C-alpha cells in the first residue's frame, strides 16, 4: 500500500496544493493564452490567404512552385559531396568499361582476321563456294553434268492430282 499525503491532489505532480486565488489566476491566464492562440491562427490564415492571392496575381501556381522546389533540391543534391563522389566513381567506371569493351572488340577483330587468313578457313571457304556453285548452278554446271534442283523439280500442278470433286 502507498501512502499519499492528504494535501497533494491524487493526479498531481507533487508540487503542492494551490490556493483558490492561485487556481483562479491560472485559469484566467490559460483563457488569455488560448485567446491569443486563436487570434494568431486567424492572423496566420489571413496572411496565408493574402500570400495565395499575391501568388495568383504573379502567376505562380502550385505546379511552378513544385517545379522550382525540385530544381532547387536537385541543385542541392548535385552540390553535395556524396553526389560528387558518386559521379566521379561512375565516371571512372564508365571510362574503364569503355576501354575494356574497346580492347575486347579489337581482340575479337584481330582474332577473326587471323581465322579468316588461316589455311583451314580458306579451305572451308573454298569448299562452301564449290558446294554453292553445284547447288545453285551456273554455266559450268551444265558441262559438269550437274543440273539445278529447280530444273528437275515438278511444278505444283504436276505434283497435285486433279480432282474434280466439289469438296
Amino acid at each position: 500500500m502507498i501512502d499519499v499525503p492528504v494535501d497533494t491532489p491524487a493526479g498531481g505532480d507533487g508540487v503542492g496544493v494551490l490556493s483558490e486565488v492561485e487556481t483562479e489566476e491560472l485559469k484566467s491566464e490559460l483563457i488569455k493564452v488560448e485567446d491569443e492562440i486563436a487570434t494568431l491562427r486567424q492572423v496566420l490564415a489571413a496572411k496565408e490567404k493574402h500570400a495565395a492571392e499575391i501568388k495568383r496575381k504573379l502567376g505562380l501556381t502550385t505546379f511552378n512552385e513544385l517545379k522550382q522546389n525540385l530544381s532547387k533540391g536537385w541543385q542541392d543534391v548535385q552540390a553535395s559531396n556524396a553526389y560528387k563522389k558518386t559521379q566521379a566513381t561512375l565516371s571512372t567506371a564508365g571510362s574503364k568499361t569503355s576501354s575494356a569493351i574497346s580492347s575486347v572488340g579489337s581482340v575479337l577483330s584481330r582474332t577473326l582476321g587471323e581465322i579468316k587468313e588461316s589455311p583451314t578457313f580458306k579451305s572451308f571457304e573454298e569448299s562452301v563456294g564449290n558446294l554453292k556453285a553445284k547447288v545453285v548452278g551456273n554455266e559450268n554446271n551444265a558441262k559438269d553434268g550437274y543440273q539445278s534442283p529447280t530444273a528437275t523439280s515438278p511444278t505444283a500442278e504436276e505434283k497435285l492430282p486433279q480432282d474434280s470433286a466439289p469438296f
Side-chain angles (χ1 to χ4, degrees):
M1 188 164 18
I2 301 174
D3 290 332
V4 178
V6 178
D7 60 346
T8 305
D13 56 4
V15 172
V17 178
L18 299 174
S19 69
E20 220 174 279
V21 174
E22 291 173 326
T23 303
E24 291 301 318
E25 286 177 3
L26 287 176
K27 285 182 181 180
S28 173
E29 186 177 345
L30 178 61
I31 291 171
K32 287 179 184 177
V33 169
E34 288 176 344
D35 286 343
E36 287 177 9
I37 290 171
T39 303
L40 290 172
R41 283 188 179 141
Q42 290 173 349
V43 170
L44 179 62
K47 296 269 185 190
E48 286 176 338
K49 183 178 177 183
H50 183 64
E53 186 178 318
I54 292 172
K55 287 178 182 179
R56 184 185 55 77
K57 287 180 181 178
L58 291 173
L60 300 176
T61 63
T62 305
F63 177 73
N64 286 340
E65 287 185 50
L66 178 63
K67 194 167 92 174
Q68 289 173 351
N69 288 342
L70 289 175
S71 177
K72 174 75 169 106
W74 180 242
Q75 288 174 353
D76 291 345
V77 166
Q78 287 179 326
S80 71
N81 287 334
Y83 179 84
K84 289 177 182 177
K85 288 178 183 178
T86 303
Q87 184 181 28
T89 301
L90 290 177
S91 177
T92 303
S95 64
K96 288 181 179 181
T97 303
S98 176
S99 66
I101 289 173
S102 176
S103 66
V104 166
S106 64
V107 167
L108 280 175
S109 177
R110 186 172 354 116
T111 303
L112 290 175
E114 290 171 1
I115 290 173
K116 190 175 179 181
E117 296 300 320
S118 72
T120 306
F121 183 81
K122 287 190 178 201
S123 172
F124 175 74
E125 185 178 34
E126 185 178 312
S127 298
V128 169
N130 290 339
L131 182 61
K132 178 184 174 198
K134 290 178 183 178
V135 170
V136 173
N138 60 23
E139 296 172 0
N140 294 334
N141 282 348
K143 295 177 195 173
D144 295 341
Y146 296 110
Q147 291 184 343
S148 168
T150 56
T152 59
S153 298
T155 64
E157 295 161 349
E158 293 172 346
K159 287 182 182 176
L160 297 175
Q162 295 297 325
D163 189 6
S164 59
F167 295 104

